């Protein structure tokens, strides 16, 4: 009986240690994502309710755009690549939304140029008649900053610079219209 009890206790200790390690990992991940209690206000994280991380990127024709200089007006960011089928499917609706809401919201496409071909991106812009500025994330720094894991990824930012919605993946036209309508009414 002593042998069974020792091995049973050893297993129990093993399970407790594994659970404690798992708990420590969960706490660390939660803190690194900014989800701990009381967080919010001033931190810059790519999470709903937080300040949008600031960046400066250039358009394909060389004009610098800095996010923090746009405070006071709602901003929409859309991370995409020319080879991405959901991006291709979503773009005509985004162009239409820009026509509808472009006077109230600053629209910016962010091409993942590090993972794309610049000429294909330019062809994409021309073919889809994108009439809002498209920024080149040639080094992947902004997509890393926003923790883009799937494309398209869309970020809706209120005039105060806080993220009001973050959508990974394809949006329906109805979702876009609702989200753009809500963003356009933020003050």
């Amino acid at each position: 009986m002593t042998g069974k009890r020792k091995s049973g206790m050893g297993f129990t200790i093993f399970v407790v240690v594994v659970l404690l390690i798992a708990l420590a990992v969960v706490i660390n991940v939660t803190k690194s994502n900014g989800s701990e209690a009381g967080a919010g206000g001033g931190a810059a994280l790519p999470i709903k309710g937080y300040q949008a991380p600031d960046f400066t990127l250039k358009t394909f024709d060389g004009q610098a755009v800095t996010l923090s200089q746009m405070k006071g007006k709602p901003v929409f960011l859309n991370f995409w690549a020319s080879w991405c089928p959901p991006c291709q499917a979503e773009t005509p609706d985004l162009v239409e939304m820009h026509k509808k809401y472009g006077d109230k919201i600053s629209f910016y496409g962010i091409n993942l140029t590090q993972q794309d071909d610049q000429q294909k991106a330019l062809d994409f812009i021309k073919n889809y008649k994108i009439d809002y500025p498209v920024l080149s994330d040639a080094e992947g720094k902004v997509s890393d900053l926003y923790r883009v894991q799937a494309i398209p990824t869309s970020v809706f930012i209120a005039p105060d610079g806080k993220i009001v919605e973050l959508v990974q993946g394809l949006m329906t036209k109805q979702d876009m219209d609702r989200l753009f309508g809500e963003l356009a009414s933020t003050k």
Side-chain angles (χ1 to χ4, degrees):
M1 283 251 187
T2 307
K4 285 184 180 178
R5 192 178 292 170
K6 281 184 183 175
S7 69
M9 284 204 40
F11 180 75
T12 302
I13 291 171
F14 172 77
V15 169
V16 169
V17 169
V18 168
L19 289 174
L20 287 173
I21 291 170
L23 180 61
V25 168
V26 167
I27 290 170
N28 258 348
V29 167
T30 300
K31 283 187 178 181
S32 70
N33 283 337
S35 302
E36 66 269 25
L45 290 172
I47 299 171
K48 188 175 175 178
Y50 284 79
Q51 283 295 127
D54 195 22
F55 64 85
T56 299
L57 285 177
K58 290 186 177 182
T59 61
F60 282 104
D61 61 2
Q63 292 182 328
V65 173
T66 301
L67 180 66
S68 60
Q69 292 177 346
M70 293 181 242
K71 276 194 178 177
K73 186 173 182 181
V75 176
F76 170 72
L77 306 176
N78 179 257
F79 293 86
W80 63 274
S82 65
W83 48 261
C84 161
C87 302
Q88 296 163 5
E90 173 177 87
T91 298
D93 292 334
L94 288 177
V95 169
E96 186 177 326
M97 293 297 132
H98 179 251
K99 285 179 182 18
K100 185 173 182 178
Y101 295 102
D103 60 329
K104 298 176 184 138
I105 300 170
S106 296
F107 278 65
Y108 290 93
I110 301 180
N111 176 254
L112 303 183
T113 316
Q114 179 187 31
Q115 302 172 17
D116 206 347
D117 176 82
Q118 184 171 342
Q119 188 56 53
K120 288 181 181 175
L122 290 168
D123 291 344
F124 185 97
I125 293 165
K126 183 179 176 184
N127 292 338
Y128 286 96
K129 298 179 174 85
I130 298 173
D131 56 352
Y132 48 85
V134 176
L135 310 173
S136 173
D137 191 12
E139 297 176 14
K141 289 181 180 178
V142 176
S143 60
D144 287 347
L145 185 64
Y146 277 78
R147 299 179 188 164
V148 173
Q149 297 176 8
I151 52 173
T153 290
S154 297
V155 184
F156 296 81
I157 304 170
D160 64 1
K162 289 187 181 171
I163 296 173
V164 294
E165 194 63 60
L166 193 138
V167 179
Q168 291 189 357
L170 180 68
M171 290 186 288
T172 66
K173 189 173 182 178
Q174 293 77 20
D175 286 339
M176 283 183 199
D177 206 24
R178 177 182 57 80
L179 290 168
F180 284 116
E182 290 171 4
L183 185 62
S185 68
T186 59
K187 303 242 188 286

